[in-house]
Each structure stands twice: as structure tokens, then as C-alpha cells.
Amino acid sequence: MESSLTAISDLILRPIAPLGLIYALGALALAVILVAAARGLKGAWLRLLALAALMMALLNPAVVREEREALADVVALVVDESASQGLEDRRETTRAAAEAVAAQIERLADAEGGRRPIELRRIEASMSDEAAGTRLMTALDEGLADVAEGRLAGAILITDGAVADGELRPAALFGGGEGEEGAEAASPAPLHVLLTGREGETDRRLVVENAPAFGLVGEPARFRFRVEETGAPSAETGSGALARVRAFVDGAPAAEGFARLGRSTEFTITLERAGATVVELRLDPIPGELTERNNAVAFSVNAVRDRLRVLLVSGEPHAGERTWRNLLKSDPSVDMAHFTILRPPAKATRASQSELALIPFPTRELFAEKLDQFDLIVLDRYRRWGILYESYIRNIANYVRGGGAVLISTGPAFAGFESMYRSPLGEIMPARPTSQVIEEPYLPQITELGARHPVTRGLEGSGDGVAAPSWGRWFRQIEVAALDGDIIMEGANERPLLILNRVGEGRIGMLASDQVWLWARGYDGGGPQAELLRRLAHWLMKEPELEEEALTAEPAPGGFTVERRSLTPGEKSVLSRGPDGVETLIPLEGAGDGVWRAVVATDVLGVHRLADAAESVISGPSERRTPLSAIAAVGPPSPAEFADPVSTAEHLAPAAEASGGAVRRLSEGGAPDLRRVREGRAQQGAGWIGLTRREAYAVRGVSLAGLAPAWVFFGLAALFSIAAWRVEGR
């Protein structure tokens, strides 16, 4: 739309002498003329004309001509695109209202006929800060930063009113920047609010008041929460005001109960394993509730073991015994009980039993009464001495089946008739001896499966699968035949060297050599002995970070990161269900060595439930826990956007009232009519809202021309002076 140019003329003075001097001379001359007139001189009026011509010559007047172009009145249309606008039909209502406002402004501009153009500036405001919520007024202020105060005709906000900066006073609207509430500003532009949503909305949400960041494995952890109800009272509010809340730990049901609205409630859960444990609270929805997006809250509790209790039993003194002892004693979180069999009971000696034993071996106390109190049992070159009865060894096997962990470090005796494989413990062993002991140098190798297993994946010096490892050689290996489990390392002649297996609820590992201590001594270059044994021990004790089949999720900027670990090759994918109920299939990219990852970008705040697409399907909030599932909490535990999603004018009404604007709900008749009004007039009425008519302009050209040359005025002054002399001379 083209705007017209208007010519405006103005008169200015360009004195050729200081104004003070000119005014002084003019006053003196005028005084003389007045005295002459008082004495009756006939030429006084001619002298007055001569003085006027002389003053015009000295002041040197000129005409300034400006070419002015009318500037467009700016109308700001702020559209709320935050997450809460996705509830019910708010998004569709917003789009329809925005189109209606734009069409009306176009018609108003056409009605002006080009005399006063109108510029519609659309500003889309989304949630810039998850914790702070939607900052609608900030977006308006930033979007009008380049607009002069005198050009803004008004601002129209289409929103549900769930904003965090409603007290802000934009400078373009109020002319003074951010002022105090209630402060009056000169001729502010009207701020009109068009509300989405409906009257009578009600909503409930969960608020976590206190949640521990850390907890002890096997100990109760307490957290406190409350249920709040906003908006109109629901039908259930009067019936006891109770809400059912359920707690889930890593997706598995842990506790449930009823909470009174607005009152603190406490749940207690027991952390069963070490590592990060995701605790999720779910609030049962009520009929007519606005949204269920704020009915679930998830937070992480890092579970740690108070003390790891390890029982190390060495069958005989040997060079590698101290390696195990030093490794376990170096960890301050490990309580180790170490017993070494110095002499078998059948060996003849003249010394008494009390003289030979430093302390008695508490076999009954350890292997019958307190066996389940240990997190790990290490049998280092132990043989069937007859010290442990068959019933005690069977207790060890049952301890593993019930969830315990045993590591067997074999020696030459494992290949003979004293082998522990011939005891009840052989029932759960992952391999059996072939009665052969290999006595030759060899280089321990990580198998293809071991390259993907967390215990041996990425060990320092392991090579890249093509080049040989850079660590040192070993010289003895007990030949075994694998029965079950995962062979993650192999030795001489590609024989199994390190085998891991799950038995019932527990785990067992077998190291078919007693020379891992060579790496600790640095022989032939040494090797990652400490790291290997540390990983091995923690895998046996079910450290979550060393699970070979796992699905984890971590928060990331703009979404979350998914990681899938697996021993089986092939493409991997994860099924995700967001808090809005939308299910998405996420393909994962291989990161090498049995790891697949994906970075998921999402602006949907809340709890996202993940499951391995090949093993399970997420069907609803009460689905059974799948073998591979995870939870990703996007945003803060209680996003400000959904803290109170009920549509309200409470936050924006003061600013609208201060500017003379109106608040209208779109569900009560759609978008109101727009009218152009003059400054100082009412900006709203029944069924309409106003836009101020501004008179801003831009100067496109300036020309300057004097009234007449100075010699003309001097000539007139001389002429009038001569005429006065002639008149008075007669």
C-alpha cells in the first residue's frame, strides 16, 4: 500500500547579526518613532514602515518546505505457541482468531485509501525457559524494539493467559519501559487480550516437595508430595477430597495410596540396586480434568551401597593372592574378609591346631549363618580340602541361585580330582575342566562377543580387533569346556579364558587362569588388570552401568538421549510414548562395540516412557514392566507451563486495564470487531476493540527559500525614510 506525500511550509529567520543587537536597535528606533508621533510629526508612520523593512532585512526570513510521508500505524499480534496451548481445542481457536484479526486489519487498511497505512506485525511466543514458563510480554517488548512509541496503534494477545511475565509493561505500549504497576503513562497504546480455553476448567497436578538425591541400597527412602487442584472445583472435590497416587520404581509398581488435596503425603520405597533409580509418581485422573500432562512426575535417586562386603577365600598361598587383596582393599567402599588355607587338614604335622592357625576358620558362621550378607564371594585357587562340608558348598550354590555372586579363579588343582567342579558348586559352573593344564606362553584375547560386553569392552591395550593386544603374556591356563554363559576372553589355542553366566537370580564368573597377577607386576608390558577385575567384580554385583542388555535415557538440551546396549548385532529401535500419549518409533544409530544411541529432540515436557521396540509395546500407564524399559523426564519435575494450565485472565488483566484495552474470551463469540479510534477516546466497547489512530510521519525532502533578497528590504527602508523626510519637510 502506497502512502501519499504532503507538503508543509514553515517560516524561519536567518539573522545576519546577533539577535540581541537587532532587537536592541529595533527597540531604540521604535522609541524614537513613538516620540515623533507623540509630537505630531506627519511622517511617523512612514518611519515605522522603514523600521519594519530594516528589521526584515536584518532578520533575513526564509520559507522552509517539507515533503512529509505518513508512516504506517503498527499493530502487534502476539500468538501464544506454548505447550499449554495444545490442550483441548486451544490451538485451533488461536489459529482461527489470528486469521480473523489479520483479515480485519487488512480491511481497515483498505478503508483508509492509502492515507494512513497499517502494518501488522505478527509475533509468535513460545516457552523460552522450561523453569520460568511462557514470557509473552517479553516477546512483545522484543518484537517491538524497533518501533517508535508514536507509531504503535495497539497490541492484540491471543493466549490462554498462562504466562510468567504478566506484570511487565512493554516500553512500546506504555512509553516508559517497565514501570510500576498502576503507574500512569501518557497516551499508552491499548493492549487487548483474547483468551482461549473455556470457563469452568478444572485440573489436578502433582507437586514433589522433597525427594532425596541419594539413598542406600536396601534401605528405605522417603519422599514427600502433595496434590493440588486449580480452576473450578471438580465433582470429586466434595467427596472426601482424596486422590489416588501410585509410585513406580524403574517402571515397576512400588507403592500406592490416597492423598488429601493440598496436604503433604509421604511415600517410602526401598532401593533394590545400586545406581540411578528413576522414581515416578502417577496421579489418577478425574472426569473432566483439563490435562493429564501434570499427573506424572519423575525424578532420579542415586542408590549407593553403604559397604560392599566381599569374602575372599584363597586355597593356598601364591603370587596372585596379594593381587586380589590389594585390588579389594584399595576400594574404601569394600569390606573384605580374607581367609587363606595355609595347610590342608590331611597334611601330617606335629604342631597342634592352635599353633598352626592364626584365627580359627569360622566355616559355620560364614557359610551357614551369614552367607547371604556378602555381596560377592571370590574362590581363589580353592580346592576340595575337606574344610568346607558338602552342605556348605551347596549353600554357596543356593546363594548364587538366590541372587548372590561368585567368582572362581582357577588353578592347577581345578583340573584334578580335587576340583571344585566335582562339588555341588559344579552344578552352576559355566564350564567344566578337561583335566588338562596348558603350560605355554599365550596372549589373552577379547572375543568378538567380549568386544561388546561391558566387562571387556574398550579395555586399554585391547587393540581394534585387527591388531593384537598390547598387553603382556600369561603362561598357564586351565583348559575348560564351556557349558553355558558368555565367553568374553580366550587364551591359548582359542580356549575359553573368562566366562560369565547368570544362574537364577545370581551371577557366576570363571577365570581359567591364576596368572592375572602378571599384569599387575608389569611383566612383558603388564595390562589393565585392575580395571578388568574391578569391572568383573561390579558386573557380578549387578552394577547397572555394566549391564550388557540395557536401555537408558538421559536428559539433554531440547530433549533426551537414548542409549541401548546389547550383545546381539543388528539394527535397534526404541518405542517412545510421550506425556501427550503420542507413540514414536525411534531408530538408533550404532556407536560401535555393542552400543546404539539416538538424540531425541522434543518440546513436549513431562515423562516419556521408552521400551525396546523388539521386545515390548507400551500400551498404557498400567502396562507391565518390560525387560528393557526406561523413563526420560524432559524439563523440570514440575514444568511452570503446566503448573496451572487453566485458562485465566488474572495475569494479563492489570496490564490490559492500565492501557485501556479489553479482555475477551474467544469461546464467547469469537474474535471481536476492530475499529480505528482517535487518541484519548475509549478503546473498547460492546463487541469491539479499538486501535489508536496515530499521526506519525517521516520527512522525505526539505527545501529552503528566502522571502526576498536583503537589498530589497534595505531599498524599501531607504524609500520609506525619504518619503517621511519629504512629508515632514513640507
Side-chain angles (χ1 to χ4, degrees):
M1 182 182 297
E2 297 182 358
S3 57
S4 60
L5 293 176
T6 303
I8 303 295
S9 299
D10 197 6
L11 185 67
I12 64 172
L13 301 177
R14 298 176 298 168
I16 60 177
L19 282 175
L21 178 61
I22 295 175
Y23 292 154
L25 292 176
L28 180 60
L30 181 61
V32 172
I33 293 172
L34 292 177
V35 171
R39 292 184 177 183
L41 292 179
K42 296 181 180 181
W45 62 277
L46 292 172
R47 294 178 183 274
L48 183 61
L49 291 176
L51 176 61
L54 180 61
M55 293 296 293
M56 291 291 288
L58 294 177
L59 292 175
N60 192 19
V63 176
V64 178
R65 185 180 180 86
E66 292 184 351
E67 298 291 338
R68 296 180 179 179
E69 180 183 5
L71 295 179
D73 289 348
V74 178
V75 178
L77 176 60
V78 184
V79 180
D80 187 353
E81 296 288 350
S82 61
S84 62
Q85 281 282 76
L87 300 177
E88 295 186 336
D89 61 346
R90 294 181 183 180
R91 193 84 66 191
E92 291 74 14
T93 303
T94 298
R95 294 194 182 111
E99 292 176 1
V101 169
Q104 289 195 59
I105 290 179
E106 185 176 355
R107 288 196 297 269
L108 289 176
D110 292 340
E112 294 286 342
R115 298 186 304 273
R116 178 62 58 178
I118 303 176
E119 176 188 342
L120 176 63
R121 181 166 297 190
R122 179 167 178 149
I123 303 171
E124 293 186 355
S126 59
M127 185 175 51
S128 59
D129 189 341
E130 297 171 350
T134 305
R135 306 189 68 82
L136 207 64
M137 301 292 270
T138 301
L140 173 61
D141 206 12
E142 293 175 352
L144 298 177
D146 61 334
V147 178
E149 176 186 343
R151 292 185 57 195
L152 187 63
I156 301 174
L157 277 60
I158 305 178
T159 175
D160 57 7
V163 299
D165 60 347
E167 76 286 348
L168 185 67
R169 299 294 183 265
L173 283 173
F174 292 89
E178 184 177 356
E180 296 180 358
E181 186 174 353
E184 297 183 357
S187 185
L191 173 68
H192 303 294
V193 180
L194 305 183
L195 280 178
T196 59
R198 54 182 172 80
E199 288 285 355
E201 293 175 340
T202 185
D203 186 69
R204 287 183 178 182
R205 66 165 180 148
L206 272 173
V207 179
V208 177
E209 296 180 341
N210 183 34
F214 296 91
L216 297 178
V217 176
E219 297 293 331
R222 295 178 175 84
F223 53 92
R224 190 168 62 252
F225 64 93
R226 71 177 184 275
V227 179
E228 292 184 348
E229 186 175 85
T230 57
S234 62
E236 284 75 13
T237 302
S239 58
L242 294 176
R244 185 187 180 197
V245 180
R246 293 174 292 166
F248 295 80
V249 176
D250 290 334
E256 70 174 73
F258 289 89
R260 291 192 176 275
L261 297 182
R263 295 188 181 182
S264 298
T265 306
E266 188 175 272
F267 273 176
T268 301
I269 62 173
T270 301
L271 305 176
E272 300 293 345
R273 62 177 182 85
T277 298
V278 178
V279 179
E280 182 186 6
L281 299 180
R282 300 179 192 172
L283 171 65
D284 284 2
I286 58 175
E289 188 172 1
L290 180 60
T291 177
E292 297 180 23
R293 294 277 296 274
N294 50 10
N295 286 25
V297 177
F299 53 90
S300 180
V301 180
N302 191 20
V304 297
R305 299 181 187 271
D306 184 18
R307 305 289 290 180
L308 297 176
R309 303 194 63 187
V310 178
L311 174 60
L312 173 60
V313 180
S314 298
E316 58 185 321
H318 66 101
E321 178 184 8
R322 182 162 294 277
T323 298
W324 288 105
R325 182 178 180 86
N326 291 342
L327 172 70
L328 297 172
K329 293 294 289 183
S330 64
D331 191 341
S333 64
V334 172
D335 280 340
M336 183 186 67
H338 184 195
F339 296 92
T340 301
I341 309 302
L342 299 177
R343 181 189 65 85
K347 186 175 181 179
T349 179
R350 296 180 179 179
S352 64
Q353 194 74 10
S354 60
E355 293 175 342
L356 288 174
L358 299 178
I359 59 172
F361 193 10
T363 54
R364 176 177 177 79
E365 182 180 4
L366 292 177
F367 298 99
E369 299 176 359
K370 298 183 178 180
L371 186 64
D372 58 351
Q373 297 182 9
F374 289 99
D375 300 296
L376 173 64
I377 298 175
V378 181
L379 299 178
D380 175 32
R381 290 183 62 166
Y382 188 81
R383 63 179 70 181
R384 297 174 63 201
W385 288 116
I387 297 177
L388 294 181
Y389 301 143
E390 294 288 308
S391 61
Y392 294 159
I393 299 177
R394 190 172 302 279
N395 287 345
I396 298 176
N398 293 332
Y399 156 80
V400 174
R401 294 187 181 98
V406 167
L407 174 60
I408 300 174
S409 177
T410 64
F414 188 73
F417 70 93
E418 296 176 329
S419 172
M420 288 296 292
Y421 183 77
R422 301 177 182 273
S423 71
L425 194 59
E427 299 173 3
I428 64 171
M429 286 187 181
R432 63 174 177 81
T434 63
S435 302
Q436 298 295 322
V437 178
I438 302 174
E439 299 277 0
E440 62 181 45
Y442 64 91
L443 195 64
Q445 300 270 1
I446 294 178
T447 64
E448 182 180 352
L449 181 64
R452 299 189 296 269
H453 201 287
V455 172
T456 49
R457 181 178 60 226
L459 274 178
E460 183 180 359
S462 61
D464 56 1
V466 178
S470 60
W471 47 52
R473 296 169 295 169
W474 296 356
F475 295 90
R476 182 161 56 216
Q477 180 177 349
I478 314 304
E479 187 179 65
V480 297
L483 300 174
D484 196 5
D486 300 325
I487 304 174
I488 62 175
M489 291 187 72
E490 58 187 19
N493 304 321
E494 298 183 352
R495 297 291 194 275
L497 181 61
L498 179 57
I499 310 172
L500 304 179
N501 192 27
R502 285 177 165 84
V503 180
E505 297 295 326
R507 302 182 182 188
I508 187 170
M510 177 180 291
L511 182 61
S513 177
D514 59 348
Q515 292 196 339
V516 67
W517 59 272
L518 291 174
W519 280 358
R521 300 287 180 87
Y523 178 80
D524 198 21
Q529 168 265 344
E531 179 64 14
L532 173 62
L533 296 184
R534 185 196 67 81
R535 292 188 190 180
L536 181 57
H538 284 276
W539 179 87
L540 290 168
M541 291 185 288
K542 305 177 183 178
E543 183 70 30
E545 296 181 356
L546 293 170
E547 290 294 322
E548 58 269 44
E549 297 290 338
L551 177 65
T552 60
E554 295 291 339
F560 56 90
T561 301
V562 182
E563 180 176 290
R564 171 77 163 90
R565 299 195 300 269
S566 178
L567 298 182
T568 58
E571 296 182 355
K572 306 293 181 183
S573 58
V574 171
L575 187 65
S576 170
R577 190 191 61 208
D580 53 1
V582 177
E583 292 188 357
T584 306
L585 187 64
I586 304 172
L588 305 181
E589 296 183 2
D593 295 336
V595 178
W596 289 260
R597 293 192 184 94
V599 178
V600 182
T602 178
D603 57 358
V604 180
L605 301 183
V607 178
H608 294 251
R609 297 178 178 87
L610 310 171
D612 186 79
E615 297 190 14
S616 60
V617 176
I618 305 176
S619 58
S622 60
E623 77 280 359
R624 66 178 181 85
R625 187 187 181 196
T626 60
L628 288 178
S629 61
I631 293 176
V634 178
S638 297
E641 183 69 11
F642 291 99
D644 186 4
V646 174
S647 175
T648 177
E650 178 183 356
H651 306 298
L652 295 173
E657 182 180 354
S659 67
V663 178
R664 300 283 190 269
R665 187 172 289 277
L666 292 172
S667 61
E668 300 174 353
D673 293 334
L674 300 182
R675 296 183 184 179
R676 301 295 303 275
V677 296
R678 296 185 180 278
E679 291 190 43
R681 301 286 184 88
Q683 301 290 340
Q684 59 168 309
W688 65 273
I689 56 177
L691 300 175
T692 303
R693 187 189 300 275
R694 302 294 189 180
E695 300 295 336
Y697 64 87
V699 178
R700 300 306 183 191
V702 178
S703 60
L704 182 65
L707 288 180
W711 61 267
V712 173
F713 292 112
F714 281 118
L716 289 175
L719 182 61
F720 287 136
S721 297
I722 293 173
W725 175 72
R726 292 289 301 266
V727 170
E728 292 173 356
R730 294 176 183 177

